[in-house]
Amino acid sequence: MAGAFSLGFGLLLLFSFVGKVHSCLDPASAYKLTGAVCRLTYPAAVVLNEKTTEVIKAAFQHAKYPSIEGERSIPFAGKLEYRLHNLEIHNLSIGKSEFELRENEGIGIDIGNVSAVFKGTLKYSYESALFRMGQSIDFEIESMIDLVINSKLYCGKGKVAADTSDCYLTFHKLQLLLQDDREPGWLKKLFTNVITFTMKLVVKGQICKEINKVANILADFIQDTAEQFLSDGDIFVDIGVTSAPVITSNYVESYHKGLVTYNGSTSIINASRFNPDQLTEDRSLYFWIGDDLMDPLMTAAYNDGRFICNISGEELIGLFLTELSAPRPELVSKWLSSEEPMLKAWSASVPRLWTTDQGTSVKAVAAVELLSGKQDSPALYFETEVEVCVRAYYADKKLILKGQAVQISISKVSTSSGDSEMENSLTIFLQEAVEKIGIPKVISYLEPELTALMDRQGLHLFDLINPEVIPRDGYVLIQMDFGFPQHLLVEFLKKTLD
């Protein structure tokens, strides 16, 4: 019954599991407060690294390059004043991107062979004892750069964040050309060397600043997206982190609160069953979701009136074409042939949810009424306590649920005629009808509704490869490989940064 989160958007996001928390604990202490866990292994990092170049391109292209101006005295020659403005970047390309997961430290990213041309306008004046000159001309700066980012994770001020200030640019080429003058005279060569040095400092400062900005924007987006994925309407799930993410040479793992809030009431998790040994490293992406998250989510859905179903018309007639071993009571046949028959069902108690190796079990009391358009009171009312064990699968971008009845009991049977003998005889038929008609019908509703809910959060846009939903004692483990659609990152960067 548990779903899956959607995470991604570039290798930079591997150190962007950001969320507000009351305090940041060491991982071992945070385990008992954890409702959900995400583990991205090295193969997942490889997939995300393929998108890193788009993030770096965005950082270069959206950096605001300030005007550069200065004054320089040149020994035995005179004084040079200059101002570079209207700086723009053109012909940007990136050669390669490599990364390293550094245990207990962070993530190192090496971006090689970044080629770009900066264009703008240069206004300069030169004054010496012999003459004075000034000019405003267009210029180009051809560059070839390597970029190194050594991220550090830290916890402070109520959140876990990434510090990308350890950012280095190595310039293998930075050549200033004045109006395509590739053979400048001695004077131009002199002050282009001066300006080039200043340009290096400005480019480094702005690029590293923009990378940090883009990483934070994407981190916030991921946090909001994950919360929206589990939240719906008035039901909100807080997936803020309980501790700093753990980084090993093989995976990055983050721990999330998973607290459900509805109508001012928030669930509590203080005895989570999570242990890192419950996850492996064989697949690209893992999600651990505890019953401490899913059971309150089920309760919130009940309190929000989500478990109500009305069936009428041809859909209702089709239901009772199901072949049952027990004979159909005359009361039910008359009701089906009456004017505007309708079946109304709702949950009469708060459902309980728990998970074992066999699947996720749900136990609840459902109330059922058989109504007719011409009758003021229902032809039949009864309650049924049902326990169903459900296994979940995800294939062809659809959620598939397989339910098996564990226990069904019928109680509080009453008819419009008040015939107690008839009411007792209905029990066997109703029990079989709940098992063979009611439970399959509920599942047939849940499958498309939950699939549509996940699609609204964008899950169908991702290429999930062989996803598995594995039930365990007290939690569900979701594991998969995945592919990341290129257009999603590009569109997001355009919308966010433009």
Side-chain angles (χ1 to χ4, degrees), residues 410-475:
I410 305 297
S411 63
K412 299 183 180 180
V413 180
S414 65
T415 65
S416 56
S417 64
D419 187 337
S420 59
E421 186 175 341
M422 178 191 299
E423 291 167 1
N424 292 333
S425 66
L426 285 168
T427 300
I428 296 176
F429 170 81
L430 293 177
Q431 189 163 352
E432 186 179 6
V434 168
E435 179 182 1
K436 297 182 179 179
I437 298 177
I439 292 174
K441 188 60 179 178
V442 170
I443 288 177
S444 73
Y445 277 145
L446 287 175
E447 287 177 331
E449 287 296 321
L450 292 175
T451 297
L453 176 62
M454 293 188 291
D455 287 349
R456 287 198 297 272
Q457 313 299 357
L459 185 64
H460 66 293
L461 298 175
F462 293 83
D463 182 17
L464 306 184
I465 303 171
N466 297 327
E468 297 178 87
V469 182
I470 304 171
R472 290 290 183 258
D473 188 18
Y475 65 93

Side-chain angles (χ1 to χ4, degrees), residues 27-317:
S29 300
Y31 292 162
K32 64 181 181 180
L33 306 177
T34 295
V37 178
C38 174
R39 174 179 288 188
L40 293 100
T41 64
Y42 192 88
V46 173
V47 172
L48 297 178
N49 183 50
E50 296 171 359
K51 310 305 172 187
T52 302
T53 54
E54 296 296 334
V55 178
I56 299 302
K57 283 182 179 180
F60 271 84
Q61 291 168 337
H62 291 86
K64 305 298 182 183
Y65 301 99
S67 296
I68 303 170
E69 55 184 74
E71 180 180 302
R72 181 74 176 269
S73 294
I74 304 174
F76 311 110
K79 184 173 68 173
L80 170 68
E81 295 180 352
Y82 59 89
R83 183 172 186 269
L84 289 80
H85 58 100
N86 299 329
L87 283 171
E88 296 179 351
I89 194 167
H90 297 265
N91 303 330
L92 177 64
S93 66
I94 296 179
K96 63 177 181 178
S97 172
E98 298 178 348
F99 72 95
E100 180 184 5
L101 302 181
R102 296 170 181 166
E103 189 159 352
N104 299 324
E105 291 186 16
I107 300 171
I109 302 176
D110 293 345
I111 310 295
N113 300 329
V114 180
S115 175
V117 175
F118 296 88
K119 294 184 179 182
T121 303
L122 169 65
K123 183 177 182 179
Y124 71 92
S125 64
Y126 173 76
E127 182 179 356
S128 71
L130 299 177
F131 66 94
R132 178 185 178 89
M133 62 176 293
Q135 193 176 8
S136 180
I137 57 177
D138 293 334
F139 72 89
E140 293 184 2
I141 298 178
E142 296 179 349
S143 66
M144 183 66 71
I145 305 169
D146 286 345
L147 172 64
V148 176
I149 306 170
N150 297 309
S151 69
K152 300 293 182 182
L153 294 175
Y154 67 93
C155 187
K157 295 184 178 180
K159 69 177 183 180
V160 177
D163 178 8
T164 62
S165 60
D166 190 359
C167 170
Y168 295 95
L169 273 70
T170 301
F171 294 87
H172 298 291
K173 177 183 180 182
L174 192 67
Q175 182 179 5
L176 187 147
L177 305 173
L178 303 177
Q179 289 185 330
D180 295 325
D181 187 357
R182 296 182 180 274
E183 295 295 334
W186 71 271
L187 178 59
K188 288 183 179 179
K189 185 179 293 185
L190 183 65
F191 69 72
T192 53
N193 290 338
V194 172
I195 294 172
T196 298
F197 175 78
T198 305
M199 189 69 182
K200 285 183 180 180
L201 297 179
V202 171
V203 171
K204 176 191 181 299
Q206 292 304 117
I207 292 301
C208 290
K209 178 181 177 181
E210 191 67 21
I211 286 173
N212 191 64
K213 173 185 173 183
V214 172
N216 286 330
I217 289 174
L218 292 174
D220 290 342
F221 173 77
I222 291 300
Q223 176 76 11
D224 293 343
T225 299
E227 286 185 342
Q228 290 171 8
F229 186 81
L230 282 177
S231 303
D232 186 63
D234 294 329
I235 301 173
F236 175 76
V237 180
D238 179 0
I239 60 162
V241 294
T242 56
S243 76
V246 169
I247 297 180
T248 74
S249 59
N250 295 323
Y251 62 82
V252 179
E253 188 167 85
S254 60
Y255 312 104
H256 303 266
K257 290 187 284 187
L259 301 180
V260 179
T261 296
Y262 177 77
N263 199 24
S265 177
T266 301
S267 62
I268 297 173
I269 298 177
N270 53 25
S272 172
R273 298 189 181 187
F274 173 74
N275 187 297
D277 294 339
Q278 295 164 347
L279 280 66
T280 65
E281 301 171 22
D282 301 326
R283 305 294 299 275
S284 296
L285 186 61
Y286 294 84
F287 296 105
W288 183 100
I289 302 177
D291 288 352
D292 289 334
L293 188 162
M294 296 306 299
D295 189 46
L297 197 59
M298 180 78 73
T299 300
Y302 164 80
N303 290 329
D304 199 45
R306 304 288 182 99
F307 302 137
I308 298 175
C309 178
N310 295 328
I311 306 174
S312 60
E314 294 183 3
E315 182 182 6
L316 177 62
I317 302 301

Side-chain angles (χ1 to χ4, degrees), residues 1 354-361 389-393 468-478:
M1 296 284 287
W354 69 95
T355 306
T356 66
D357 292 350
Q358 284 70 46
T360 298
S361 295
C389 185
V390 180
R391 294 293 297 262
Y393 307 88
E468 297 178 87
V469 182
I470 304 171
R472 290 290 183 258
D473 188 18
Y475 65 93
V476 170
L477 182 63
I478 303 170

